[in-house]
Amino acid sequence: MRLIILAAGKGQRIFSKIKKNKCLIEIKGISLIKKIIKDFKESGFKNITVITGFNRNRIQKHLQNDKISILHNSAYLNKEMLYSFILALKKYKNENIFLSYSDIRYNKKIFYDSKNFLTSKKIILPINKKWAHVWKKRKKNIKDDCETLVYDNNKNLIEIGNKITSLKKINGQFMGLVYIPKNRIINILKYYESINSALKNKMHLSSFINFMLKKNEKIKCHLSYSDWYEFDDINDYKNFFK
């Protein structure tokens, strides 16, 4: 299994305050991205690729001793992180993929859990079941900042990434983590190519996952009760320490 870390974006809302990529934020003496890499390796895995874009030289220097691969997204200014995800799938279409955002901090238990994903022929979406606690800590307005996520009694994903009209539409939170078995990669690339260019250039990953559901792609949810936190803006950073 290969870990793909998406680290191409600028993170405009927080960059103006901290003057560095979000993935380089340090908590307890280690950057977010280095913690992800360290946890993955300590869980028994070794293949890691970081997708760079903005400030790529700074990230590469930061990770120069970590024995990872770099894949550069030269279109990071005009396209969402979905494009970085697709670049990785095209590059590693013969490997099982574990995708991770780089502006999040989470318990490495998810990597140990992922060893059980390797026998699955379906996409698996880790779901944060402690989402309400996280939103309270981040002091976010749930209806403004959160998205729908609904699964059935068999943990099959039904809906994700839409605007919330009712809290009943939140069974958990997308963690910025996805497991993609290699047998589904060709289909995912076909879904992507079928979307209008202008639309897919601005499409978020959660919306793309919802699009795949509409194409009858079967996606399983893995329920996680471990610690998870996202650094989207400067207030998230300040509130983490409160």
Side-chain angles (χ1 to χ4, degrees):
M1 181 172 74
R2 178 175 294 275
L3 174 65
I4 300 294
I5 304 176
L6 303 183
K10 182 177 182 179
Q12 181 63 43
R13 280 179 287 185
I14 195 170
F15 181 82
S16 61
K17 302 292 184 181
I18 65 174
K19 303 303 180 183
K20 59 184 176 182
N21 303 63
K22 289 191 288 183
C23 66
L24 300 180
I25 291 173
E26 288 196 4
I27 304 293
K28 297 181 180 179
I30 186 170
S31 67
L32 298 179
I33 195 167
K34 272 187 174 287
K35 181 183 183 301
I36 295 169
I37 291 169
K38 176 176 175 288
D39 289 349
F40 187 72
K41 289 181 177 179
E42 288 181 352
S43 302
F45 302 104
K46 62 179 182 179
N47 296 322
I48 302 169
T49 297
V50 174
I51 313 294
T52 61
F54 176 73
N55 251 354
R56 66 170 173 169
N57 291 335
R58 187 171 183 178
I59 293 176
Q60 286 181 228
K61 183 177 180 180
H62 183 67
L63 302 176
Q64 62 185 346
N65 297 321
D66 286 286
K67 296 181 180 179
I68 54 115
S69 299
I70 296 290
L71 184 60
H72 183 61
N73 173 7
S74 59
Y76 69 90
L77 281 175
N78 303 313
K79 297 183 179 181
E80 291 291 336
M81 67 172 69
L82 173 60
Y83 183 71
S84 291
F85 171 58
I86 295 299
L87 283 181
L89 293 189
K90 289 179 178 179
K91 175 76 173 179
Y92 301 107
K93 57 179 176 290
N94 295 317
E95 298 183 46
N96 296 319
I97 300 294
F98 192 101
L99 176 83
S100 176
Y101 288 7
S102 61
D103 61 348
I104 52 179
R105 193 174 194 273
Y106 52 95
N107 193 296
K108 67 180 177 182
K109 182 180 183 299
I110 195 67
F111 291 135
Y112 286 102
D113 292 347
S114 72
K115 294 179 181 180
N116 296 319
F117 300 172
L118 297 176
T119 58
S120 175
K121 300 298 183 183
K122 296 180 180 179
I123 297 169
I124 297 178
L125 202 71
I127 302 301
N128 179 17
K129 292 297 289 181
K130 294 170 63 178
W131 67 272
H133 170 75
V134 175
W135 249 249
K136 183 177 180 181
K137 185 176 179 66
R138 294 176 70 204
K139 298 181 180 180
K140 301 291 186 182
N141 184 313
I142 290 175
K143 288 190 175 181
D144 289 341
D145 194 62
C146 209
E147 296 178 335
T148 61
L149 194 155
V150 183
Y151 57 84
D152 64 19
N153 291 333
N154 294 314
K155 300 177 185 175
N156 295 303
L157 187 65
I158 298 173
E159 178 187 335
I160 187 174
N162 292 320
K163 187 174 177 59
I164 293 171
T165 56
S166 168
L167 295 184
K168 293 180 179 180
K169 288 280 192 176
I170 311 177
N171 294 163
Q173 180 198 9
F174 176 48
M175 298 173 67
L177 306 171
V178 190
Y179 171 74
I180 309 289
K182 58 187 175 183
N183 67 295
R184 302 311 305 155
I185 291 179
I186 295 301
N187 290 73
I188 293 172
L189 294 176
K190 287 179 179 178
Y191 297 145
Y192 180 77
E193 293 303 326
S194 73
I195 303 172
N196 174 276
S197 294
L199 179 61
K200 67 187 177 186
N201 287 346
K202 299 298 180 182
M203 182 177 279
H204 293 278
L205 184 55
S206 58
S207 298
F208 180 66
I209 294 172
N210 202 55
F211 176 81
M212 290 195 294
L213 289 174
K214 292 178 180 179
K215 294 292 186 178
N216 296 316
E217 184 69 32
K218 306 303 180 186
I219 301 175
K220 279 286 186 181
C221 294
H222 172 78
L223 309 188
S224 174
Y225 295 86
S226 299
D227 292 339
W228 180 95
Y229 196 86
E230 179 182 16
F231 297 86
D232 192 41
D233 56 38
I234 193 63
N235 290 324
D236 288 333
Y237 179 76
K238 292 178 179 178
N239 290 331
F240 179 83
F241 298 97
K242 294 181 179 180

